[in-house]
Amino acid sequence: MFDLLGIGALIAISAIFAMSEIAMAASRKIKLRVMADEGANNAQAVLDLQERPGAFFAMIQIALNAIAILGGIIGEQALTPYIRDLVGYFYTGHLLDQISFFVSFLTLTSLFILFADLLPKRLAMIMPEAVAIRVVTPMRWVTFALTPFVMFFNGLTNIVLRVFKFPTEREDIVTTEDIVAMMDAGAEYGSLPQQEYQLIGNVFELDSRSLSSVMTPRDQIVYFDADESSEEISQKIIEHPHNDFLVCDGSLDKLQGIIESKEILRLVLKGEPANITPDMIDKDIFYLPETLTLSESLNAFKVASQPFAVVVNEYALIVGIVTVKDLLSSFMGELITHEAEEQIVRRDEYSWLIDGLTSINDVDRCLDVDDFPARSQYETIAGFMIYMLKRLPKRTDHVIFSGYKFEVIDLEGVRVEQLLVTKLDVNA
């Protein structure tokens, strides 16, 4: 009876060590840091142990191997007589002892595999942090008690690792890919709302998207000519109620400065004609190169404290304008642009109308096409069409890619206004 109790105790102790091993290895540092900040006991101790796990794992292996040896010795003595009596009811030949020993060995091994290995490790994998903070203190005591053996085997292990030029300590660096993977898992299981998932995903794209993907392109810029009549100026303000306008001398390439619409409205309210005088023009123009990323552009706006910027190319030609709102909308999306016209409109289950200036990242998320070729060569779906066709698109030009048909249905000059995207093989 004492032997059977000893086997049960060894299985229980082995289960604790097995749970500790898996829990320490599987515990997530980010969650442990959150638990530590919230005051969870022993969370910081688990983090400290994970930083230098060598002694801990040496202790675990010493303990598990010692328990396995003891289990074999005690188990043979404890179970074999009972197994021999049981087998004796069915077989009494000269192989009775060998059969009894084999059945005893198989039974003991099965008990250890099930209750000392599989079950505790499964539990530790399911809730690693909860298990780790409960076992870390007793595991540290055991490590201290086995210090001579731990130091010996841990030292040998470090020597072998250094000989083969492997690192002796684990470095946990949380990468963007790790965070994205956690976001994907959270969105899949519903713990991360879809709106928050898209918002966080957009933030990670700030360093990969260029300024040209969100700016108002040159051909859509509304500006004042310094020689325009009062009626023309008033009509532009009525049709395009912006806060600020560029003032040019004949064309955008002869930019004179910026004027606030309220300066003109003040004249109108006084009963005077809506004319532009030199003293009304602000010549302090904020320029940004089109090669900047969205993240760099946000930082530039933070330093300059300007409401909008004129975007220029490498030849100092104006290619567009961008506002702080344009940059914020690149990752805030519908939270601040709900009043704007949607760039992607779903016609039915298998087709979409997409504005030509829609970011290729937004198209990717909508259609779940993550293998657009040469992504660095273009920013918009119109750029994708130009890249694929190797020329400026014409109406009805189309491209078949990744199970979708991308067809140009509207042009303004040479600019792609709108595409019809249709999913092919819908019955496949």
Side-chain angles (χ1 to χ4, degrees), residues 19-27 29 32 42-60 131-144 154 168-170 172:
M19 289 181 69
S20 302
E21 180 181 23
I22 295 298
M24 293 296 175
S27 293
K29 277 198 169 184
L32 286 171
N42 295 329
Q44 186 58 49
V46 177
L47 286 169
D48 294 340
L49 190 148
Q50 286 184 334
E51 291 294 330
R52 300 179 181 275
F56 168 76
F57 285 112
M59 176 275 295
I60 288 290
V131 173
I133 62 176
R134 284 171 172 78
V135 301
V136 64
T137 298
M139 290 301 107
R140 292 169 75 179
W141 293 343
V142 175
T143 302
F144 178 76
N154 190 41
T168 58
E169 295 181 2
R170 184 176 76 172
D172 275 342

Side-chain angles (χ1 to χ4, degrees), residues 4 33 73 80 83 98 100 107 110 113 136 158 164 179 198 203 214-215 270 287 311 318 322 356 402 405:
L4 294 177
R33 287 195 181 99
I73 296 172
T80 301
I83 298 297
Q98 290 84 344
S100 300
T107 302
S110 300
I113 290 175
V136 64
N158 288 335
F164 289 98
I179 299 175
Q198 292 180 352
V203 170
V214 299
M215 71 180 184
K270 290 180 179 180
Y287 291 98
V311 184
I318 296 175
V322 64
S402 192
K405 179 181 179 182

Side-chain angles (χ1 to χ4, degrees), residues 154-382:
N154 190 41
L156 286 179
T157 303
N158 288 335
I159 291 173
V160 173
L161 290 174
R162 290 191 181 99
V163 168
F164 289 98
K165 297 182 179 179
F166 291 125
T168 58
E169 295 181 2
R170 184 176 76 172
E171 292 186 9
D172 275 342
I173 300 175
V174 180
T175 64
T176 301
E177 289 75 16
D178 297 330
I179 299 175
V180 171
M182 287 189 289
M183 286 167 42
D184 291 340
E188 181 179 354
Y189 289 102
S191 58
L192 183 65
Q194 186 65 25
Q195 189 178 57
E196 295 180 12
Y197 171 71
Q198 292 180 352
L199 177 60
I200 299 172
N202 289 341
V203 170
F204 283 119
E205 293 176 357
L206 292 179
D207 281 327
S208 61
R209 294 177 60 182
S210 69
L211 189 56
S212 58
S213 67
V214 299
M215 71 180 184
T216 300
R218 178 188 176 98
D219 63 341
Q220 294 184 15
I221 297 176
V222 179
Y223 64 92
F224 294 145
D225 193 306
D227 297 327
E228 279 186 319
S229 66
S230 175
E231 291 76 13
E232 290 174 326
I233 293 174
S234 299
Q235 189 62 32
K236 283 186 178 180
I237 294 178
I238 292 172
E239 294 178 355
H240 308 281
H242 302 313
N243 293 327
D244 302 274
F245 290 86
L246 300 181
V247 180
C248 304
D249 184 12
S251 70
L252 275 174
D253 296 322
K254 297 180 180 179
L255 182 60
Q256 292 185 345
I258 303 168
I259 187 170
E260 292 185 86
S261 57
K262 66 181 181 181
E263 295 292 335
I264 301 174
L265 292 175
R266 186 178 292 116
L267 293 176
V268 174
L269 292 174
K270 290 180 179 180
E272 301 177 13
N275 292 326
I276 299 175
T277 59
D279 61 297
M280 298 167 60
I281 300 174
D282 182 4
K283 298 186 181 296
D284 183 18
I285 304 172
F286 180 38
Y287 291 98
L288 288 177
E290 66 173 338
T291 54
L292 290 185
T293 65
L294 300 188
S295 177
E296 293 168 338
S297 302
L298 281 171
N299 289 330
F301 269 106
K302 182 178 179 180
V303 174
S305 299
Q306 295 284 348
F308 78 100
V310 177
V311 184
V312 296
N313 62 14
E314 60 183 312
Y315 303 106
L317 298 176
I318 296 175
V319 295
I321 58 174
V322 64
T323 66
V324 174
K325 184 178 178 180
D326 293 331
L327 294 173
L328 293 177
S329 67
S330 66
F331 64 91
M332 295 294 287
E334 296 178 355
L335 292 179
I336 64 172
T337 60
H338 57 276
E339 76 283 356
E341 183 180 351
E342 292 186 62
Q343 289 188 308
I344 301 178
V345 178
R346 188 162 192 161
R347 297 174 67 246
D348 53 43
E349 188 176 357
Y350 305 111
S351 64
W352 297 259
L353 289 174
I354 301 181
D355 188 282
L357 294 180
T358 304
S359 166
I360 199 68
N361 295 307
D362 294 337
V363 178
D364 182 356
R365 281 191 292 270
C366 179
L367 304 182
D368 194 22
V369 178
D370 57 1
D371 56 349
F372 281 106
R375 290 283 286 266
S376 62
Q377 300 298 314
Y378 48 87
E379 296 282 350
T380 65
I381 189 65

Side-chain angles (χ1 to χ4, degrees), residues 12-26 56 60 64 115-125 127-128 131-132 135 139:
I13 295 172
S14 181
I16 294 173
F17 282 108
M19 289 181 69
S20 302
E21 180 181 23
I22 295 298
M24 293 296 175
F56 168 76
I60 288 290
L64 288 177
F115 294 105
D117 200 51
L118 291 180
L119 285 176
K121 287 184 177 180
R122 286 282 297 276
L123 288 173
M125 284 296 296
M127 44 184 183
V131 173
V135 301
M139 290 301 107

